[in-house]
């Protein structure tokens, strides 16, 4: 199986803070990885670098065949549009665009828009009747499902989710997790940051960080 | 999608954008009004300088006015003396010359000023006149006349109408060959050939003044006037171009004032847009970070915002221009006492200016280019 993520000796230093302090691991295509660790341990920094939102101070990071450490700003922009689907804790929808337009925005930045495909994606996450709603008219769970549809619309190589259920109640958390499980079973590669051990157990592997160091990798699935 | 995003952006921030739009509309209103005044003044100036109308006048001298001590009647000149002197001095520089005799006759009981002249010379002496009809080709023609616009209105005349003129017990009936739009005193006069006026007033051989059109610059014209004055010591000979140049200078100063006011207003409008856009840029930091995170390039994201501002500038320019043309009409009438025509080139000009001003005011949006997409995952 192809490797989607391969990092080695990854470091990220903010002034005097070593947010990531020499991290190495790799992720196979189709794997679901849970990233866990206390607050401030470097989880978001890791996601940012893997997603091309930030560059490492040193070390190698090859994601979907691309060495993200060597890309310039515009190269990173293309990389994000083509290879990555993001799901954020705060949902982060554009407030003045409707649900379907928020999905189309990702299409627009990727290549061309296809409203029908965007509608289908929203139907798939159970929002077929909320297409023309603005984010403010949607519940948190619904907003996060729009974000999931948006993350999927360009068929990314890697889905990065930073505490995707951190702001949701149990019912909505379950809905979003069910979606992620579905995506996993369809063969998507997912890296998900979570605080909840129960959620962490759904993954194939669990990576634990502490003070920017990788302290433990746990094999969970038995496939 | 670009247009759709644009519409959503405009709607999403309409509260703030309306402030900027109002500034742009107000700016465009004043700018287009000033530009319209300015262009129209320029047109009038150009008319006065580009055409060679009458620029030298021969009028009765001081001594003649006291010939009959006690009478207030305007003194006249002997046509034969003036014209023969003119012939002597006359050179190739004289493009046109014609004597004038003014009398106040009546038409249907209402007083009207009659100017008797050589109507075949009039096109060269008054090249700026706009005619509704035909010039009169011969100075011998005693059956036709030209009537000023205001006279035509007063007596309901148009080309082909007949006007009858009475002076004491004599009268004349003339066909209107054309209605004249002169933009001056000529609008309220009737122009006939010299013999018609002389016969009505029984002033055969008498004239009130001679107008000449002489080619050359101000110095050459002055030279010619001096030579003519020597040949006609009993009369006043003076160039009249200098008056126009003084007027031109004054108008030039008014233009300078107008242009500097326009620049000031453009700057103020840009500042107002700038303030609004700076606030908007702060508001949109997260949206921009998000768009970048989703793979939107800087040029695409900032381009979207600039297009939004451009639309705003165009809308402000268009609405302001309509208001501005009305304003310039009003200002023309109230302030300058002149009819200011709407100049349609004002529209593209104002709209282009307002787009530029809006884009200049949108400078803070450029800072959005620097927003790091990673803010999206922090900021909480
Ligand atoms: N942009 C930044 N500037 C300075 N320090 C930062 C920045 N981003 C993260 N950090 C620091 O790096 C460490 C790791 O942060 P982060 O990756 O957000 O942790 P986590 O997501 O695990 O809570 C923290 O100490 C944090 O304060
Ligand atoms: Mg975090």
């Amino acid at each position: 199986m192809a490797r989607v993520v391969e990092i080695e000796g990854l470091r990220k230093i903010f002034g005097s803070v070593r947010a990531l302090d020499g991290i190495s691991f790799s992720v196979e295509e189709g794997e679901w990885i849970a990233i866990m660790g206390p607050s401030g341990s470097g989880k978001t920094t890791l996601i940012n670098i893997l997603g091309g939102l930030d560059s490492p101070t040193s070390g190698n990071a090859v994601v979907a065949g691309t060495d993200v450490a060597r890309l310039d700003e515009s190269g990173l922009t293309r990389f994000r549009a083509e290879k990555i689907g993001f799901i954020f804790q705060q949902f982060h929808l554009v407030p003045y665009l409707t649900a379907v337009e928020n999905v189309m925005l990702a299409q627009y930045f990727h290549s061309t828009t296809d409203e029908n495909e965007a509608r289908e994606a929203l139907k798939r996450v159970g929002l077929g009747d909320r297409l023309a709603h603005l984010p403010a008219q949607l519940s948190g769970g619904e907003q996060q499902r729009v974000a999931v549809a948006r993350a999927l619309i360009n068929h990314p190589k890697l889905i990065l989710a930073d505490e995707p259920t951190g702001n949701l109640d149990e019912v909505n958390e379950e809905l979003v997790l069910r979606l992620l499980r579905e995506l996993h079973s369809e063969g998507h590669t997912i890296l998900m940051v979570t605080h909840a051990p129960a959620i962490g157990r759904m993954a194939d592997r669990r990576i634990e960080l502490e003070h920017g160091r990788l302290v433990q990798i746990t094999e969970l699935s038995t496939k | 999608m670009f247009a759709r995003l644009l519409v959503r952006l405009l709607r999403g921030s309409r509260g703030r954008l309306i402030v900027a739009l109002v500034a742009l509309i107000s700016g465009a209103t004043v700018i287009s009004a000033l530009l319209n005044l300015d262009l129209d003044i320029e047109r009038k100036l150009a008319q006065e300088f580009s055409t060679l109308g009458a620029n030298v006048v021969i009028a009765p001298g001081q001594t003649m006015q006291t010939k009959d001590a006690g009478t207030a009647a305007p003194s006249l000149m002997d046509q034969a003396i003036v014209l023969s002197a003119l012939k002597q001095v006359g050179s190739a520089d004289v493009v046109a010359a014609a004597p004038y005799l003014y009398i106040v006759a009546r038409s249907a009981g209402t007083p009207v000023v009659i100017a008797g002249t050589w109507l075949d010379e009039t096109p060269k002496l008054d090249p700026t006149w706009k005619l509704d009809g035909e010039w009169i080709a011969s100075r011998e023609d005693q059956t036709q006349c030209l009537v000023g616009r205001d006279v035509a209105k007063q007596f309901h005349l148009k080309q082909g109408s007949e006007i009858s003129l009475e002076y004491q017990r004599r009268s004349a009936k003339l066909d209107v060959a054309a209605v004249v739009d002169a933009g001056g005193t000529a609008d309220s006069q009737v122009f006939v050939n010299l013999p018609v006026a002389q016969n009505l007033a029984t002033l055969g051989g008498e004239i009130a003044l001679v107008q000449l059109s002489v080619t050359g610059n101000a110095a050459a014209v002055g030279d010619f006037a001096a030579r003519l004055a020597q040949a006609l010591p009993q009369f006043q000979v003076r160039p009249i171009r200098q008056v126009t140049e003084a007027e031109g200078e004054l108008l030039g100063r008014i233009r300078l004032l107008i242009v500097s006011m326009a620049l000031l207003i453009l700057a103020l409008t840009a500042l107002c847009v700038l303030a609004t856009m700076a606030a908007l840029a702060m508001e949109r930091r997260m949206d921009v970070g998000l768009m970048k995170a989703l793979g939107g390039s800087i040029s695409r994201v900032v381009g979207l915002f600039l297009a939004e501002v451009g639309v705003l500038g165009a809308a402000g320019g268009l609405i302001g221009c309509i208001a501005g043309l009305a304003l310039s009409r009003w200002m023309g009438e109230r302030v300058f006492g002149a009819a200011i025509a709407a100049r349609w080139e004002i529209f593209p000009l104002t709209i282009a200016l307002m787009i530029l001003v809006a884009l200049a005011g949108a400078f803070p949006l450029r800072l959005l280019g620097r927003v790091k997409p990673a803010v999206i995952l922090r900021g909480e």
Side-chain angles (χ1 to χ4, degrees):
Chain A
M1 256 194 186
R3 289 198 165 157
V4 177
V5 174
E6 193 159 7
I7 58 179
E8 220 185 281
L10 199 65
R11 279 199 168 73
K12 180 70 184 181
I13 318 262
F14 296 108
S16 61
V17 180
R18 290 162 178 262
L20 292 177
D21 194 8
I23 293 202
S24 309
F25 68 90
S26 57
V27 179
E28 306 288 326
E29 189 169 340
E31 265 195 303
W32 181 352
I33 307 288
I35 299 171
M36 301 191 71
S39 185
S41 57
K43 306 182 295 294
T44 296
T45 305
L46 178 61
I47 292 280
N48 278 355
I49 289 172
L50 293 179
L53 293 171
D54 214 341
S55 299
T57 309
S58 65
N60 291 323
V62 178
V63 180
T66 310
D67 187 348
V68 290
R70 293 214 161 63
L71 288 178
D72 61 5
E73 175 117 19
S74 69
L76 284 174
T77 303
R78 273 328 296 160
F79 168 79
R80 291 193 295 267
E82 282 166 10
K83 304 283 171 64
I84 305 293
F86 284 108
I87 302 168
F88 309 105
Q89 181 177 1
Q90 307 287 346
F91 325 137
H92 288 311
L93 302 178
V94 178
Y96 33 80
L97 298 183
T98 62
V100 73
E101 284 164 347
N102 263 288
V103 177
M104 289 167 72
L105 186 66
Q107 291 179 319
Y108 177 64
F109 290 142
H110 178 263
S111 49
T112 49
T113 55
D114 179 343
E115 187 158 4
N116 277 327
E117 201 189 335
R119 281 204 204 103
E120 284 307 315
L122 284 170
K123 278 180 197 153
R124 161 148 197 220
V125 298
L127 293 174
D129 56 345
R130 296 280 191 277
L131 299 174
H133 285 58
L134 291 170
Q137 298 165 322
L138 298 172
S139 74
E142 287 169 331
Q143 289 187 51
Q144 194 61 304
R145 283 186 277 155
V146 174
V148 171
R150 179 180 65 187
L152 289 176
I153 196 70
N154 294 323
H155 313 289
K157 277 282 182 202
L158 178 64
I159 293 171
L160 296 173
D162 194 353
E163 302 191 41
T165 60
N167 274 0
L168 299 180
D169 59 33
E170 273 167 53
V171 176
N172 281 299
E173 178 180 279
E174 185 42 40
L175 276 171
V176 170
L177 287 175
R178 195 188 299 162
L179 273 171
L180 288 175
R181 272 200 298 270
E182 264 176 52
L183 295 178
H184 177 233
S185 68
E186 286 165 15
H188 280 96
T189 313
I190 304 170
L191 251 80
M192 179 185 67
V193 172
T194 183
H195 274 305
I199 298 173
R201 276 194 287 276
M202 294 175 186
D204 298 327
R205 274 194 295 161
R206 187 172 66 215
I207 290 177
E208 281 173 65
L209 300 182
E210 233 179 271
H211 302 300
R213 294 215 182 86
L214 201 160
V215 291
Q216 196 176 7
I217 299 186
T218 315
E219 213 51 61
L220 296 163
S221 76
T222 49
K223 60 177 175 181
Chain B
M1 187 68 186
F2 185 78
R4 198 160 165 182
L5 283 172
L6 206 55
V7 170
R8 292 294 183 187
L9 273 176
L10 286 166
R11 252 205 244 164
S13 308
R14 60 180 170 273
R16 284 213 188 280
L17 294 180
I18 278 172
V19 176
L21 186 63
V22 166
L24 285 165
I25 290 175
S26 322
T29 302
V30 180
I31 292 284
S32 59
L34 289 176
L35 282 179
N36 196 42
L37 277 179
D38 185 60
L39 280 179
D40 216 49
I41 285 173
E42 184 172 52
R43 181 179 61 106
K44 286 192 170 136
L45 271 180
Q47 264 180 10
E48 283 185 76
F49 285 122
S50 67
T51 51
L52 290 166
N55 51 8
V56 174
V57 164
I58 307 173
Q62 307 292 326
T63 51
M64 298 292 283
Q65 279 171 347
T66 53
K67 190 177 73 178
D68 285 314
T71 62
S75 51
L76 297 170
M77 303 182 290
D78 188 315
Q79 186 181 346
I81 295 176
V82 180
L83 293 182
S84 69
L86 195 57
K87 212 171 261 168
Q88 274 169 21
V89 181
S91 66
D93 297 339
V94 179
V95 178
Y100 284 81
L101 175 68
Y102 295 98
I103 62 174
V104 180
R106 284 171 181 276
S107 182
T110 310
V112 57
V113 175
I114 311 295
T117 182
W118 292 341
L119 289 173
D120 57 321
E121 294 285 87
T122 314
K124 283 177 271 179
L125 290 169
D126 297 291
T128 61
W129 286 8
K130 287 197 221 54
L131 254 65
D132 193 2
E134 301 293 328
W135 292 103
I136 295 165
S138 164
R139 65 184 70 167
E140 314 295 339
D141 189 336
Q142 300 202 21
T143 62
Q144 295 192 90
C145 64
L146 305 175
V147 299
R149 195 181 58 175
D150 299 343
V151 177
K153 202 180 274 176
Q154 190 180 3
F155 297 102
H156 310 291
L157 301 170
K158 58 182 199 308
Q159 182 187 18
S161 315
E162 195 181 66
I163 182 172
S164 61
L165 304 169
E166 299 102 40
Y167 190 89
Q168 290 163 2
R169 243 145 276 128
R170 275 167 304 283
S171 69
K173 270 196 189 349
L174 295 150
D175 293 325
V176 175
V179 172
V180 174
D181 182 356
T185 52
D187 285 339
S188 53
Q189 297 176 355
V190 175
F191 291 81
V192 300
N193 270 315
L194 186 59
V196 178
Q198 287 175 334
N199 291 343
L200 271 176
T202 55
L203 286 169
E206 306 250 35
I207 55 174
L209 55 87
V210 175
Q211 285 192 30
L212 297 97
S213 171
V214 180
T215 57
N217 57 23
V221 173
D223 253 24
F224 175 84
R227 270 185 289 136
L228 195 57
Q230 263 175 1
L232 290 167
Q234 67 273 47
F235 303 128
Q236 270 189 67
V237 180
R238 57 189 152 83
I240 54 175
R241 175 54 79 88
Q242 276 145 7
V243 176
T244 331
E245 277 175 357
E247 272 174 15
E249 202 174 299
L250 179 67
L251 284 176
R253 274 184 216 162
I254 293 177
R255 286 196 62 195
L256 188 68
L257 183 73
I258 286 176
V259 169
S260 36
M261 270 172 69
L263 286 177
L264 184 71
I265 286 161
L266 281 178
L268 286 176
T269 308
L271 274 178
C272 191
V273 175
L274 193 84
T276 311
M277 288 300 158
L280 199 61
M282 279 312 291
E283 252 176 37
R284 289 190 177 163
R285 272 185 71 242
M286 284 301 263
D287 301 339
V288 170
L290 172 64
M291 287 184 191
K292 284 186 177 174
L294 294 178
S297 62
I298 294 177
S299 56
R300 243 181 179 182
V301 175
V302 174
L304 193 59
F305 290 137
L306 289 183
E308 178 190 13
V309 173
V311 166
L312 217 59
L318 181 66
I319 300 170
C321 206
I322 294 168
L325 287 180
L327 181 65
S328 76
R329 283 224 165 136
W330 183 86
M331 283 205 292
E333 266 166 38
R334 289 298 166 105
V335 183
F336 296 98
I340 296 292
R343 310 268 301 180
W344 300 111
E345 58 264 46
I346 289 292
F347 273 92
L349 201 64
T350 309
I351 290 172
L353 264 177
M354 292 333 277
I355 291 176
L356 283 179
V357 164
L359 289 179
F363 193 75
L365 289 181
R366 274 156 217 265
L367 299 177
L368 292 178
R370 294 200 206 137
V371 173
K372 290 264 172 278
V375 297
I376 213 65
L377 292 176
R378 312 230 178 254
E380 41 241 29

